[in-house]
Each structure stands twice: as C-alpha cells, then as structure tokens.
Amino acid sequence: MVNEIVVDVQLQETRVALLEDKELVEIYIERPCAERLVGNIYRGRVSSVLPGMQAAFIDIGYEKNAFLYVGDAVSQREYSDDEDELYQELRGHNIDEILRPGQEITVQVIKEPIGTKGPRVTTHITLPGRHLVLLPNADYVGVSRRIENDQERCKLKKIAEKIKPKGMGLIVRTVSEGKHEEDFSHDLNFLLKLWEKIKQKEFSGPVPRCIHKDLNLIYRAVRDFFTRDVDKFVINDRQQHSKVLELVEMISPALKMKVEYFSKNYDLFEYYQIESKISKALARKVWLKNGGYLVIDRTEALTVIDVNTGKFVGASNLEDTVLKTNLEAAKEIAKQLRLRDIGGIIVIDFIDMKEHEHQHMVLDTLKNSLKKDRTKTTVLGMTSLGLIEMTRKKVRQGLSSMMHIDCPYCDGTGKILSPEAVARNVEKEIKNYFSQTIANAIQVEVHPTVAQVLTGMDGHNLAEMEKAYGKKIVIKASHEIKHEEMKIREIDIDSLVC
C-alpha cells in the first residue's frame, strides 16, 4: 500500500490530505479565521457550577463558555487508565465539592465548539510529542491500543516506566512501535521543558487567557501522521517546505528524503484528483463498486446510514447478494466515517440477513475495517431490528460542517414548500392586500413554478381569483425571485395593455 500526505497551502486555508493507494481517507482543514482550540491550554475562571448536571461552565476568553464535566475535573493522579475503574471512582464525586464560581482553574480543550455548544475542556492536561504523550497531572503508564503485539507492548511499557518522571504519567504512541529507550530521550526532554514553560505562565497574567497553543496543522501532520509507513510528504509552499524539513530533521531525520516540494504550475489537489474526491465525500449517496449504495443522513443527535442493493442483482441467490452487498458496505462505511469525520451516535441499517453467521461476518468486517481509524470507535452490536449501533468520538466539526452551511432557503432541512403550498400562501397574501387597500389592480411576482399553479390550466385559477375579488391581477413569472418568495405591488389599471 502506498501512503501519501499531501499539503495544500493557500492564503485563506491550509488542507492536509491523507491518501492510501491514491484513495482519500482523511482530510483536515485549518483556516486563519476559524482558530483551532483543541490542544490549547487556558487559565480560566469558573463562571457557574451546575450540580444537577455534574458540570461547570468555564470562562476561557472564548465567545462561549467552555463545558467541564465532573469526570474531567477530578484529579486522575491516583487512578489507573482503566476506564471502567475510573468511572466507578468518579461516581462518588460532586462538582460543587470540587469547584466554586469565581475560582481560577487551568484547563485544556478536548473538543471543539460545535453548533450552539461551546468547547469542552478537561483538567487532565496532555502534551503530545512524537513518540510520547506527557501527562503532568497523572501517575500511570499507558501504551497505544493500536500496538497489538503483546511482547512489544510489554517492552514499551517497561521502558516508559523506567524513564517516567516522578509524579507524572506517560503514554507511548503508536509510532513508537519498534523503538528503544534512547529514541525517547529527546522527546521526553522537550515535553518536560514545555510543561515547565506552561507552569511559569500559569499564575502570572490576566484571567482568562491562553497559556499554550498547540502546533498548527502542518506541524501536527508531521508530528502525528508522518511515520515510516508514509511513502511521500508533498507540500506546495516553499517556505513551509523548509520548515517541515527542519522539523523532520529534529524528530526523525530518516524521513527527510520523503519530503517533496510540489513545484509544478498546477493546482496540487487537482493534480492528485483530491478535489473530486472531496465532492464525493460531501454527497448524501455513496455508490459501492458492485452497484449497491449507501445513503448517509446526519441530524444533530445522530447519523443514520442506510444500505441498499441498488443496481447489484447478484449471480446466485438473494442471501448471497445481500451478504456481498453488506460486506462491501461495511468496508465503505468505515472509510466514510473516517473521511467525513462523523462523530457521535451512528446507526447502520444493513439489508436484512436471515443467517446469524452472515450477521457476524458483516459485524466482524465492520470492526476490522474500523481498526485503521485513529479516532476511538465502539461498535455496540446489532439490535433486534437488525440495526447496528456504534459510537465514534466527536472531537471537532466534521467535513460537512467545515465545507457546508445551512441552506438559507430551507434552513438546512433539505426541503422547501411545494409550488401548490406556496401558491396557497400567495393567495392569502393577495386577499390580505386587497382588504387593506383600495387598489383595483396588482402585479404578483413569483417563481415560474408557482406562477403556473396560480394561473392554472388556460388561466382558469387566475380568472376565478379576479372574479372573487372583482380586481385585476397580473401574475409575473420570474426566475430571479426565490421559490417561496413573492412580491405584490399596486399597478395602474389604465396602463395595462389588453
């Protein structure tokens, strides 16, 4: 498999695309006008404490107060990294015993503001490096779950326990697989110095304020994505290319030869055919290679994915056709979740399968396909209705939210009133207009589809309206007017040409 990182630097935005065998699998967008908050550390002030929600709102200087849940406010210093054990320990804590309004507190953003919600923050600070993540306020060692070899996990954990600073914690990142103790020393020293700088800023200065900003998108791409499994790192900006080389020289010199400056007089994303792939990633319908298709519908609460056989009719029997479609759909769904960065609750409606063995095959295929996803996913299983329920951690706005805004005509519903419904509203406005004026003639300007309904076959509807009001009504069709809009104005009846 050929893995590539393609970085498109423009004045208004920077985009990083991750390609696997020329296929777009992840896309990240950063704009100067929309500052990224995740990873930033703030000295904030408790705005309000809500015991009923076991949460508090923290003023971090952002337009919306940040949300702090009790589980993110309790010190983890004495706990393990086992989530079930941690949950049991947290049940005995009350938020109003930990925080009070007006109290100053240091927090880190773990989730971007989405929609009407402000950012989510935690007091469990994490400082990611190339190979390690430093946990200044915890006291345990963890190893990335993506490293599956038990012997390698054991080796890395022993190394981390040996070099772990007293009273702090460490997590060994996936990129550290196969590394040795000497590979971690530079990383750890850098992170300890960074934490020392943050501590020096913590108690000096106004509150609220930002005391640490995470790296920009290009540097994060080098730190988090550029591993030995990547064959090429392509960037189209000369200045940023030089900075990338400097960073790679510091963290992994062997990768310098894979960094390439794109000097062609051609759009980088067009050259790699990424623009067309982004357009497909925004579509509601996704076609499968065998002729089946997915329909992806998103709401504020959850995402629903429906699987259909479409053009695929199979070759042997119905069960075989359904199984093949569902298996291919399972792989494509994992890819689409990662590409679109869909988070939250996800419900998948696969085509009904009678055989339990087939159901397990589809479920296993989905789980295995999700292993490539860096974002935490949990497949909860299949319901009695044959629906698969799963969750995917929501950290930032998905691709659709970055690229789309709600339609000003339909307010994001994807639906507008039918011409008949609009015509009915126009008739009400005409009646209201005549009741408030002494006009003998009016012109009604509407969209052509609505004009057709108002006029009726051979002008019958218009004639009936004029008879009802005893007035002259002129219907003007205009493509320049919006589908649900109307413009009514009085006109001089003597100026009308018969």
Side-chain angles (χ1 to χ4, degrees):
M1 180 179 291
V2 178
N3 298 320
E4 297 169 292
I5 298 174
V6 181
V7 183
D8 177 34
V9 182
Q10 302 292 340
L11 288 175
Q12 299 302 320
E13 68 178 17
T14 298
R15 298 183 293 178
V16 173
L18 275 59
L19 306 179
E20 293 178 357
D21 283 338
K22 306 298 181 183
E23 283 297 314
L24 180 66
V25 293
E26 291 180 38
I27 179 77
Y28 298 86
I29 301 171
E30 189 169 82
R31 296 170 180 142
C33 60
E35 183 184 6
R36 180 182 186 267
L37 301 183
V38 167
N40 292 355
I41 300 175
Y42 296 84
R43 186 66 177 172
R45 179 175 281 111
V46 179
S47 175
S48 57
V49 178
L50 309 173
M53 293 179 63
Q54 283 290 65
F57 284 102
I58 314 296
D59 180 7
I60 61 171
Y62 185 67
E63 57 184 302
K64 297 172 186 171
N65 284 341
F67 181 82
L68 176 65
Y69 175 63
V70 65
D72 294 315
V74 178
S75 172
Q76 281 185 280
R77 189 170 292 279
E78 67 273 28
Y79 302 140
S80 75
D81 59 345
D82 183 88
E83 293 184 6
D84 294 331
E85 180 182 335
L86 182 60
Y87 176 74
Q88 292 300 322
E89 294 281 359
L90 292 175
R91 290 182 66 183
H93 291 277
N94 292 314
I95 191 71
D96 52 359
E97 295 173 353
I98 303 168
L99 299 173
R100 65 183 185 279
Q103 177 182 342
E104 292 186 9
I105 185 173
T106 300
V107 293
Q108 184 174 38
V109 178
I110 57 174
K111 186 176 179 180
E112 294 283 354
I114 299 174
T116 58
K117 299 176 182 177
R120 182 171 171 178
V121 295
T122 179
T123 60
H124 308 151
I125 308 297
T126 59
L127 297 176
R130 174 67 169 177
H131 299 103
L132 301 169
V133 178
L134 180 67
L135 313 174
N137 300 328
D139 193 5
Y140 62 82
V141 167
V143 179
S144 168
R145 290 185 177 91
R146 293 173 68 87
I147 299 176
E148 297 180 347
N149 185 291
D150 291 337
Q151 188 175 351
E152 180 68 13
R153 290 180 63 86
C154 185
K155 182 199 82 173
L156 292 172
K157 188 166 186 177
K158 285 181 180 178
I159 293 174
E161 287 171 343
K162 182 179 178 181
I163 65 174
K164 182 180 77 69
K166 187 176 180 181
M168 295 187 183
L170 287 176
I171 295 175
V172 181
R173 304 190 72 178
T174 309
V175 71
S176 300
E177 189 169 6
K179 299 294 182 181
H180 303 282
E181 183 177 337
E182 56 269 22
D183 297 313
F184 300 129
S185 57
H186 181 273
D187 215 24
L188 183 57
N189 289 336
F190 169 78
L191 293 174
L192 288 172
K193 288 178 182 177
L194 177 60
W195 176 239
E196 189 59 37
K197 286 182 181 178
I198 293 170
K199 292 296 290 182
Q200 290 172 4
K201 295 179 183 178
E202 189 173 15
F203 300 106
S204 60
V207 177
R209 72 185 185 283
C210 179
I211 57 179
H212 169 71
K213 280 191 175 184
D214 197 11
L215 300 173
N216 66 30
L217 177 57
I218 298 175
Y219 287 6
R220 291 199 311 274
V222 174
R223 182 190 68 193
D224 300 338
F225 308 145
F226 195 19
T227 66
R228 60 178 178 268
D229 297 327
V230 174
D231 299 281
K232 190 187 294 185
F233 187 107
V234 186
I235 186 167
N236 64 350
D237 184 276
R238 177 71 73 181
Q239 185 178 2
Q240 292 297 333
H241 172 257
S242 299
K243 290 182 179 180
V244 167
L245 286 175
E246 290 175 11
L247 184 60
V248 173
E249 177 67 38
M250 289 172 54
I251 64 175
S252 190
L255 296 177
K256 279 186 69 175
M257 59 183 292
K258 296 182 178 182
V259 180
E260 179 183 307
Y261 171 63
F262 185 82
S263 58
K264 295 179 178 65
N265 189 23
Y266 199 82
D267 183 271
L268 178 60
F269 269 33
E270 289 287 355
Y271 182 82
Y272 279 89
Q273 299 179 340
I274 296 173
E275 293 291 3
S276 60
K277 292 180 173 67
I278 292 175
S279 297
K280 289 180 181 178
L282 295 169
R284 180 172 176 258
K285 182 182 286 188
V286 179
W287 287 98
L288 303 175
K289 291 178 182 178
N290 69 358
Y293 64 91
L294 311 176
V295 175
I296 303 175
D297 284 316
R298 299 192 65 184
T299 70
E300 190 170 346
L302 55 81
T303 299
V304 179
I305 303 176
D306 186 36
V307 181
N308 299 273
T309 53
K311 302 172 185 176
F312 182 56
V313 294
S316 53
N317 56 62
L318 178 60
E319 276 295 309
D320 181 65
T321 302
V322 168
L323 177 62
K324 287 180 178 177
T325 303
N326 283 341
L327 288 174
E328 187 174 343
K331 296 175 185 177
E332 185 64 30
I333 287 169
K335 176 184 169 184
Q336 290 296 324
L337 294 179
R338 185 179 168 197
L339 175 57
R340 297 172 187 238
D341 203 8
I342 296 173
I345 301 170
I346 300 157
V347 176
I348 307 170
D349 185 9
F350 284 103
I351 305 169
D352 291 342
M353 295 171 285
K354 296 178 181 178
E355 301 287 340
H356 288 292
E357 182 184 352
H358 290 179
Q359 294 176 3
H360 289 304
M361 287 173 66
V362 171
L363 203 56
D364 290 342
T365 299
L366 178 64
K367 289 178 180 178
N368 289 330
S369 300
L370 288 168
K371 287 181 179 179
K372 292 183 179 180
D373 198 341
R374 266 180 283 266
T375 302
K376 183 180 179 182
T377 58
T378 305
V379 179
L380 303 174
M382 189 171 289
T383 70
S384 57
L385 293 175
L387 305 174
I388 288 183
E389 297 176 331
M390 64 173 289
T391 61
R392 187 174 185 272
K393 189 175 181 181
K394 187 185 289 185
V395 177
R396 58 187 172 273
Q397 292 184 340
L399 179 63
S400 178
S401 299
M402 288 288 292
M403 301 289 289
H404 287 160
I405 61 169
D406 283 348
C407 171
Y409 307 124
C410 68
D411 291 327
T413 64
K415 305 287 184 181
I416 57 175
L417 291 176
S418 66
E420 291 77 13
V422 177
R424 184 177 64 247
N425 291 338
V426 173
E427 289 178 20
K428 289 180 180 178
E429 287 300 316
I430 291 173
K431 181 179 180 181
N432 186 54
Y433 191 92
F434 280 136
S435 69
Q436 296 179 18
T437 69
I438 57 172
N440 289 317
I442 62 170
Q443 176 183 280
V444 182
E445 188 176 358
V446 290
H447 191 272
T449 57
V450 180
Q452 188 175 6
V453 176
L454 286 170
T455 305
M457 187 72 70
D458 299 324
H460 175 75
N461 293 349
L462 179 58
E464 288 294 314
M465 275 196 292
E466 290 182 326
K467 181 179 178 182
Y469 300 119
K471 311 282 186 178
K472 181 64 180 178
I473 302 171
V474 177
I475 304 296
K476 180 182 178 182
S478 172
H479 285 285
E480 295 181 1
I481 198 165
K482 297 173 185 176
H483 184 82
E484 295 182 9
E485 284 186 347
M486 68 192 85
K487 292 180 182 178
I488 302 177
R489 68 180 182 89
E490 184 178 350
I491 56 176
D492 185 358
I493 194 168
D494 295 328
S495 66
L496 294 176
V497 178
C498 297

